[in-house]
Structures are given as structure tokens and as C-alpha cells.
Amino acid sequence: MITQSPLKLAVLVSGNGSNLQAIIDAIEAGSINARITCVVSNNPDAFALKRAIKHGVTTVIHQNQNFSNRREYDSALVQILKDHEVELVILAGFMRLLSEIMVNAFPHAIVNIHPALLPAFPGLHAQKQALDYGVRYSGCTVHLVDCGTDTGPIILQAVVPIEHNDTEETLSARIQREEHRCFPEAIRLFADGKIQVNGRHVHISP
Ligand code: GAR
């Protein structure tokens, strides 16, 4: 029997890290054949760093202000990820846009989660955008990262109905429940070699 070696992941974070936690839990439960070789944060105070340390995962703080522009920041980021032998980069609440330096260094191998049904409501405050617009359904999208803002090919989506009294907080909490299910599932598909990309279309093998 041929056993595939675990896919080497980097998880990039800026804040709470609940998605990081869901990924760690899925790996520890044995449902994803992957290993997190590093968690990188641009925010030294991110709670996500504490979650990583608690689970014995290597952390790297890579702060914005140490670099004069996005390309310099990303060049150093690529080096950090290559030093950790990363194969798939996971953006789990990483609140920075990536330049072509990062996108070209990891072709079809950077994945983001966004709290809306793309292409609706890209960018910041997606839950508020959805409520303000008056849609009946929102949700979350796991997608590949290109140089645009939340424009890359879509891997998985989950729908969350809007409720009558929803606030940004209540909607965000229900969307996060779906994120914590979808993101590990998408990573599992990569780890099992089931993802193929053809232009804008992501094919998932049965
Ligand atoms: C998640 O809800 C994710 O969808 C969102 O940040 C949150 C991070 O939560 N990302 C974006 O808005 C990116 N455009 P977490 O730190 O608890 O995982």
C-alpha cells in the first residue's frame, strides 16, 4: 500500500484564529492527512498565536511595519514559507492582500476563506455588506487566491439563510460555524489530491 506523506501547510492569521483551531482539530482527529509546519501572523497580539503554541505548532510573527511596501513584505514571506517547506498556504483571517510575488511563488496553492457567497460582497465587512443589501442568503466561500480581492476560483461554498433580527454579530457567528466545517473539508480535498484547476473552474474528484 502506498501511503501519501502529510501535506505541509502554513496557516496565515491576523486575529482570533477560530478557523486555525478547526484545522488543527481536524488534523489531530486524523481526518486531514496534513501537518502545519508554521503559523504566520502579521499581528503579534493575535489570539491565533496562542492557539498554535498550545498545540505545539511553530509560530512566526511577520509584521507589516518592518517593510516599506507589499512586494518586500511578500518576498520575505515567501522565504519564510519556503524555509518551512510549505506546499499549501491557508489564509485563515489573514487581513492583508497578497501581491503577485506570493501568488506566483505558490501557483494554485493559496486558499482563502471569505464570509460571503462570492462574487457577492468581496473585501472587508462582508457580513455587514450582505445585511445592508438585504439579501436572503449569505454564507462562506473557500477559494484559490489570485491577485484580485477575493476573485480566485471557487472551491467550496456553504449557504447561510439571513434571519429576521440578524445583526452583523449573529450572522457572523452562524457563518463561522459553516466556515469551521468547509475549510477543513477543502484542505482535506487538497491533501487527498482531489483538486484540479482549469481556468476559473475547480474540479473535485469523486
Ligand atoms: C473569518 O470569518 C474569515 O471568513 C474572515 O475573517 C474571519 C477570521 O476569523 N476573513 C475575511 O474576512 C477575509 N476577507 P478567525 O480568526 O476566527 O478564523
Side-chain angles (χ1 to χ4, degrees):
M1 193 175 84
I2 300 168
T3 50
Q4 231 173 322
S5 55
L7 186 67
K8 297 190 194 80
L9 310 177
V11 184
L12 276 51
V13 296
S14 300
N16 178 28
S18 68
N19 280 286
L20 167 67
Q21 189 69 56
I23 296 161
I24 289 174
D25 291 348
I27 292 172
E28 288 186 352
S31 48
I32 307 176
N33 184 24
R35 185 163 69 83
I36 302 175
T37 64
C38 60
V39 165
V40 181
S41 176
N42 64 336
N43 168 14
D45 300 322
F47 186 65
L49 291 168
K50 292 197 170 63
R51 296 182 192 265
I53 290 163
K54 189 171 168 203
H55 289 266
V57 177
T58 301
T59 57
V60 179
I61 294 167
H62 187 49
Q63 283 186 266
N64 309 348
Q65 60 260 41
N66 299 344
F67 299 88
S68 53
N69 60 53
R70 197 178 299 283
R71 292 167 61 87
E72 276 182 23
Y73 180 96
D74 279 7
S75 297
L77 178 58
V78 168
Q79 194 54 54
I80 291 166
L81 300 177
K82 298 285 181 196
D83 288 347
H84 289 84
E85 299 178 6
V86 169
E87 296 169 299
L88 184 68
V89 181
I90 311 295
L91 309 186
F94 185 61
M95 300 314 251
R96 267 186 76 92
L97 291 177
L98 297 180
S99 70
E100 78 282 2
I101 304 253
M102 260 298 286
V103 172
N104 293 340
F106 292 93
H108 292 164
I110 308 176
V111 185
N112 182 43
I113 190 142
H114 182 74
L117 292 175
L118 292 171
F121 314 126
L124 293 175
H125 309 296
Q127 302 92 333
K128 182 172 187 306
Q129 291 185 58
L131 290 173
D132 288 350
Y133 196 92
V135 292
R136 300 288 186 196
Y137 296 91
S138 191
C140 63
T141 304
V142 181
H143 65 95
L144 289 163
V145 172
D146 61 15
C147 288
T149 303
D150 302 320
T151 51
I154 290 170
I155 302 166
L156 294 176
Q157 293 187 299
V159 175
V160 174
I162 308 288
E163 289 179 4
H164 173 57
N165 291 324
D166 257 338
T167 62
E168 201 177 337
E169 289 69 35
T170 59
L171 177 60
S172 299
R174 289 205 316 290
I175 289 175
Q176 280 224 321
R177 256 182 261 147
E178 291 303 313
E179 291 186 346
H180 299 161
R181 193 178 57 76
C182 281
F183 218 1
E185 170 63 13
I187 297 164
R188 188 180 66 75
L189 293 170
F190 273 97
D192 292 349
K194 291 191 168 170
I195 298 276
Q196 278 176 345
V197 187
N198 183 9
R200 279 217 58 84
H201 296 269
V202 174
H203 179 73
I204 300 175
S205 308

